[in-house]
């Protein structure tokens, strides 16, 4: 069939919106008609060849849509089901078997190769193969063939035009809080970096009834929104000594912390802000080879814990429905982070995300 897709062709080049051919869904594949898809920093990193995904390729890994057809062997969804798309995993390694699929030993190949395991792709342009199956889904296409494990069935009452970010960036922040830190009600919390990921961590800290909830950023407009979303204190770290200020607010040190920047100085500040037996999580990504110093002589005295967290350490099939239900109950207003664009304006959406003008772009088909 013919589909309209945005194709990444190489570093620094805008995505090319064009008509492609899509194969019939193969064994274990679900053909999904996209309603909308979020755009995440990882798409931009791959478009710019920071990660080695072969070009040309259809990116996109926060798709939401409706099942059109299923390939042989698919048992969990059927045509007409509303679905949200998340990352792909092998399902059999020790991490997958123990409920931690974001540490799947095959994660990189399955999500970044732009190919099926046998090396084939589902899209072509005048007979030339175009990469597919990015994060199992390649959601920057009006219709795509998605691996069954990436497909999460959602209630028909949930708004597909908003749900996409629940596939990656929102659970990355929210899962670090609810799945990894698991704070007690009344414990203190700080998030460094109030982009889509950090704001999602903040919304989750509110769900967990943390208090105080502190947000740190270097952009005042983001801190204003953080206050509207439940931060009790905000700190612009350009103007204040962030560690001293956090210790003052929390009477000596914070219980739980998230770094959603991936910046080595911020990581150091996060560790230095921890109180006795505090627990910090790093979710911001840094280039391989990045090192951050911490004072092991003093930090050891606090009994602090530091966790490294991918994709919120979630099981998509249980955590995403939990976030949808919190959203529908009015406790998790992640829609406040979103700005929508028509699919034809996908490159503007990328630019607005890069400039910081938009927290979370979602393109609608
Ligand atoms: P974003 O760029 O929208 O947000 C980052 C925020 O950090 C911005 O508001 C920025 O102003 C702030 N910031 C930058 N430098 C700062 C500093 N020195 N001090 C305080 N604040 C600072 O990005 P995002 O979409 O929210 O993603 C956040 C990070 O999470 C990125 O590194 C992204 O690649 C990563 N990520 C990780 C995973 C994972 O599985 N661990 C998944 C998705 C995204
Ligand atoms: Zn992502």
């Amino acid at each position: 069939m013919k589909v309209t897709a945005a194709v990444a062709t190489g570093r620094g080049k805008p995505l090319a919106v064009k008509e492609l051919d899509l194969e019939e869904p193969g064994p274990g594949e679900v053909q999904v008609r996209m309603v909308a898809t979020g755009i995440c920093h990882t798409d931009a990193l791959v478009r710019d060849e920071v990660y080695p995904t072969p070009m040309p390729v259809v990116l996109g890994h926060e798709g939401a849509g409706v099942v059109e057809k299923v390939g042989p062997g698919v048992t969990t969804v059927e045509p007409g089901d509303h679905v949200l798309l998340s990352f792909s995993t092998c399902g059999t390694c020790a991490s997958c078997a123990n409920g931690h699929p974001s540490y799947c030993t095959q994660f990189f190949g399955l999500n970044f190769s732009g190919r099926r395991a046998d090396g084939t792709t589902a899209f072509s342009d005048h007979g030339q193969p175009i990469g597919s199956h990015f994060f199992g889904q390649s959601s920057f296409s009006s219709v795509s063939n998605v691996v069954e494990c990436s497909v999460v069935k959602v209630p028909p009452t949930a708004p597909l035009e908003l749900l996409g970010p629940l596939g990656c960036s929102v659970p990355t922040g929210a899962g670090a809080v609810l799945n990894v830190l698991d704070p007690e009600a009344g414990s203190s919390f700080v998030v460094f970096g109030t982009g889509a990921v950090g704001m999602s961590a903040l919304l989750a800290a509110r769900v967990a009834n943390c208090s105080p909830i502190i947000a740190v950023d270097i952009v005042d407009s983001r801190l204003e929104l953080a206050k509207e979303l439940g931060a009790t204190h905000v700190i612009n770290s350009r103007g204040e000594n962030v560690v001293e200020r956090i210790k003052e607010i929390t009477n000596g040190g914070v219980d739980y912390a998230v770094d959603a920047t991936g910046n080595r100085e911020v990581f150091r500040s996060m560790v230095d802000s921890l109180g006795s037996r505090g627990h910090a999580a790093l979710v911001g990504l840094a280039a391989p080879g990045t090192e951050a110093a911490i004072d092991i002589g003093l930090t050891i005295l606090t009994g602090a814990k530091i966790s490294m967290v991918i994709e919120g350490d979630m099981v998509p099939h249980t955590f995403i429905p939990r976030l949808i239900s919190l959203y529908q109950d009015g406790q998790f207003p992640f829609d406040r982070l979103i700005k929508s664009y028509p699919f034809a304006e996908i490159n503007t959406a990328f630019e607005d995300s890069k400039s910081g003008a938009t927290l979370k772009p979602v393109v609608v088909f």
Side-chain angles (χ1 to χ4, degrees):
M1 72 184 299
K2 298 282 182 199
V3 299
T4 306
V7 183
T9 58
R11 187 180 318 206
K13 295 196 198 134
L15 303 180
V17 176
K18 53 162 77 172
E19 196 170 78
L20 299 180
D21 291 297
L22 174 66
E23 290 179 352
E24 287 293 297
E29 290 180 355
V30 178
Q31 196 164 74
V32 176
R33 181 166 292 279
M34 297 303 161
V35 169
T37 173
I39 293 174
C40 168
H41 280 279
T42 310
D43 297 307
L45 292 176
V46 176
R47 178 198 59 184
D48 295 337
E49 299 183 60
V50 174
Y51 293 121
T53 303
M55 304 279 156
V57 61
V58 178
L59 302 175
H61 63 284
E62 293 186 338
V66 180
V67 175
E68 186 124 312
K69 269 187 200 170
V70 297
V74 169
T75 56
T76 53
V77 288
E78 53 186 43
D81 282 348
H82 287 199
V83 292
L84 178 72
L85 308 179
S86 193
F87 54 86
S88 172
T89 57
C90 77
T92 53
C93 73
S95 295
C96 286
N98 290 316
H100 300 281
S102 45
Y103 307 110
C104 171
T105 54
Q106 307 297 319
F107 192 93
F108 200 79
L110 289 171
N111 291 290
F112 287 91
S113 68
R115 297 283 182 277
R116 295 190 184 95
D118 65 5
T120 60
T121 72
F123 296 116
S124 59
D125 184 11
H126 297 93
Q128 283 291 106
I130 306 285
S132 61
H133 293 78
F134 183 66
F135 274 70
Q137 55 178 286
S138 290
S139 63
F140 293 164
S141 175
S142 55
V143 183
S144 194
N145 293 348
V146 181
V147 297
E148 187 176 10
C149 77
S150 286
V151 176
V152 178
K153 192 171 161 177
V154 299
T157 50
L160 286 174
E161 67 283 3
L162 295 177
L163 290 190
L166 294 183
C168 176
S169 47
V170 172
T172 289
V177 176
L178 298 175
N179 297 331
V180 179
L181 299 180
D182 194 17
E184 307 78 31
S187 53
S188 54
F189 175 84
V190 60
V191 62
F192 294 82
T194 50
V197 170
M199 287 293 191
S200 302
L202 187 154
L203 291 174
R206 213 179 63 167
V207 167
N209 290 313
C210 290
S211 181
I213 294 177
I214 308 166
V216 181
D217 206 293
I218 48 178
V219 177
D220 284 330
S221 58
R222 297 224 158 168
L223 293 172
E224 281 308 311
L225 180 62
K227 267 196 237 168
E228 286 175 31
L229 294 178
T232 56
H233 301 73
V234 297
I235 304 172
N236 186 324
S237 51
R238 283 242 162 98
E240 293 187 73
N241 181 322
V242 67
V243 175
E244 274 176 21
R245 186 81 183 93
I246 291 169
K247 290 197 162 168
E248 192 182 292
I249 296 166
T250 56
N251 276 324
V254 71
D255 297 320
Y256 296 99
V258 169
D259 174 0
T261 71
N263 172 304
R264 66 167 97 204
E265 277 98 35
V266 172
F267 180 80
R268 170 72 192 251
S269 298
M270 171 172 77
V271 174
D272 288 347
S273 312
L274 291 172
S276 186
R277 300 175 65 243
H279 188 177
L282 174 68
V283 302
L285 297 178
T290 307
E291 296 186 0
I294 57 173
D295 181 340
I296 60 171
L298 278 179
T299 308
I300 194 170
L301 303 176
T302 65
K305 279 201 284 189
I306 301 169
S307 296
M308 304 284 151
V309 187
I310 290 294
E311 298 285 353
D313 197 6
M314 68 163 160
V315 175
H317 292 81
T318 51
F319 193 59
I320 290 169
R322 180 178 170 199
L323 292 181
I324 292 174
S325 139
L326 285 166
Y327 166 71
Q328 290 184 319
D329 288 348
Q331 292 183 64
F332 190 75
F334 77 97
D335 56 322
R336 294 285 307 278
L337 314 178
I338 290 175
K339 181 173 172 198
S340 300
Y341 297 77
F343 183 61
E345 288 172 24
I346 188 166
N347 287 306
T348 311
F350 267 91
E351 279 162 29
D352 289 357
S353 168
K354 188 175 178 201
S355 75
T358 298
L359 217 80
K360 185 70 206 179
V362 169
V363 292
V364 180
F365 289 87

